[in-house]
Amino acid sequence: MAALNQASRQLFWSDHIQAWQSSGLSQSAYCREHDLCSQKLSYWKRKFLSSPVLAPHATNSGFTRIKVDEQSAPDVAFELSLQFPDGTRLVSD
């Protein structure tokens, strides 16, 4: 984790804070389950709550983050599509 830059650390902890909040687990149970330091989770939770710049993940925008690991299967093609309630469909190339 020491090699991660600041933006990567923010994303890492933001994702874990969101996952913890939706898990229904206590902070300490979530940290034990994911081999995380509970003090660091608390630190980043406070940091996100006190900073409007870091807080976008705290509000529900209706979007979700999708991470595609292209290194695990570089020659596999994939298609991502979204279909909206009105029937509009968005398809990736």
Side-chain angles (χ1 to χ4, degrees):
M1 174 108 172
L4 296 176
N5 64 28
Q6 183 68 15
S8 295
R9 278 194 298 275
Q10 287 175 358
L11 181 58
F12 175 87
W13 286 107
S14 173
D15 288 346
H16 272 293
I17 289 168
Q18 283 186 312
W20 159 67
Q21 288 174 329
S22 62
S23 73
L25 297 172
S26 68
Q27 247 182 256
S28 57
Y30 179 85
C31 289
R32 277 193 304 275
E33 193 172 288
H34 295 280
D35 198 28
L36 299 171
C37 175
S38 60
Q39 289 86 358
K40 286 185 180 180
L41 183 73
S42 292
Y43 166 82
W44 281 97
K45 181 178 73 170
R46 284 189 312 274
K47 190 170 177 114
F48 288 127
L49 290 175
S50 67
S51 172
V53 174
L54 299 178
H57 291 90
T59 60
N60 185 358
S61 67
F63 290 95
T64 189
R65 182 179 313 274
I66 298 173
K67 181 177 179 185
V68 177
D69 185 3
E70 295 177 17
Q71 293 178 345
S72 63
D75 35 334
V76 174
F78 66 93
E79 177 181 285
L80 177 66
S81 67
L82 301 172
Q83 184 159 351
F84 298 93
D86 68 356
T88 304
R89 189 164 180 223
L90 176 65
V91 180
S92 70
D93 289 335

